[in-house]
Amino acid sequence: MKAFTPRRLLVLAGAAARPSRTLTVAESVSRHIAATGSRPILRDLADESLPPLHTGDQPPDALADLRHQAAKADALVWVTPCYHGSYSGLLKTALDHLCEPDLKGKPVGLVAVGASLTAVQACDHLRSVARALGCIAVPTHAVVTPPAIGTPDDTPGTDAARITRMISEIHVLADATWQLRRDPTPIFASSGAGP
């Protein structure tokens, strides 16, 4: 695998089920990230107990930590089961709590877990969410279907190749956007050229 600048990648696993095929895939994605020399931060959202947004409930400590990890991350990976043609409510709740300034310009990889390739619909919906949060969804997404799910070895074949490619794209975009995210000056501000 190509060497990349080491980065922090926040991996969100968005399934409440136990045992969870989605968590198994998120763990596999985390191993692929670690193989590049980067640091995966895996968050199993089923363990977070996040309240719905704007309920007035006192936010749990887990929410403050999740926001902190999102702000520190160079990139993210969202792993979701496909429910009724879309992503999970658990992932939706977590994303509702994240703030655009902490995510703006950061690459995000999208992984859907489902019974068939129609699970790609979850990735399609998450692309819109990424755009709304100011993230940059990488071109390659992964849809993991049986028999790859839950295999004792790592995610095999085509699924592994797509995950590897997605992670490579995340690193390339993280390298490209890192300086832009740290320099608030518009690119053309210093050129002196007018419209």
Side-chain angles (χ1 to χ4, degrees), residues 3 18 21-22 27 31 42-43 71 83 86 93 149 166 187 192:
R18 286 292 180 268
R21 298 181 303 165
T22 300
E27 290 167 343
R31 287 190 297 275
L42 176 60
R43 298 293 293 258
Y83 293 145
S86 193
T93 297
I149 298 169
M166 178 190 71
I187 296 172

Side-chain angles (χ1 to χ4, degrees), residues 168-183:
S168 295
E169 291 172 1
I170 289 170
H171 280 91
V172 168
L173 279 172
D175 289 347
T177 61
W178 185 84
Q179 186 60 45
L180 292 174
R181 287 186 278 120
R182 274 138 189 82
D183 183 3

Side-chain angles (χ1 to χ4, degrees), residues 1-7 9 31-38 161 163-176:
M1 184 173 286
K2 182 181 180 224
F4 296 102
T5 303
R7 300 286 181 193
L9 279 75
R31 287 190 297 275
H32 280 76
I33 291 167
T36 68
S38 284
I163 289 170
T164 299
R165 181 176 173 154
M166 178 190 71
I167 292 168
S168 295
E169 291 172 1
I170 289 170
H171 280 91
V172 168
L173 279 172
D175 289 347

Side-chain angles (χ1 to χ4, degrees), residues 6-11 39 41 43 64-76 98-99 101-104 106-107 174 178 181-182:
R7 300 286 181 193
R8 291 173 57 93
L9 279 75
L10 178 61
V11 180
R39 181 176 176 209
I41 311 296
R43 298 293 293 258
D65 187 54
L66 179 64
R67 286 178 174 160
H68 175 73
Q69 290 293 344
K72 287 178 58 177
D74 296 303
L76 301 98
L98 298 181
C99 302
D102 295 333
L103 301 176
K104 192 168 182 73
K106 293 182 181 180
W178 185 84
R181 287 186 278 120
R182 274 138 189 82

Side-chain angles (χ1 to χ4, degrees), residues 44-125:
D44 181 3
L45 296 175
D47 294 337
E48 303 292 339
S49 301
L50 300 176
L53 193 61
H54 302 306
T55 60
D57 293 344
Q58 180 65 28
D61 292 339
L63 178 54
D65 187 54
L66 179 64
R67 286 178 174 160
H68 175 73
Q69 290 293 344
K72 287 178 58 177
D74 296 303
L76 301 98
V77 180
W78 300 338
V79 186
T80 184
C82 184
Y83 293 145
H84 305 296
S86 193
Y87 59 100
S88 72
L90 191 62
L91 181 57
K92 169 71 169 141
T93 297
L95 295 176
D96 283 347
H97 285 288
L98 298 181
C99 302
E100 183 180 348
D102 295 333
L103 301 176
K104 192 168 182 73
K106 293 182 181 180
V108 61
L110 307 173
V111 182
V113 180
S116 71
L117 291 178
T118 60
V120 71
Q121 295 170 343
C123 292
D124 293 341
H125 293 173

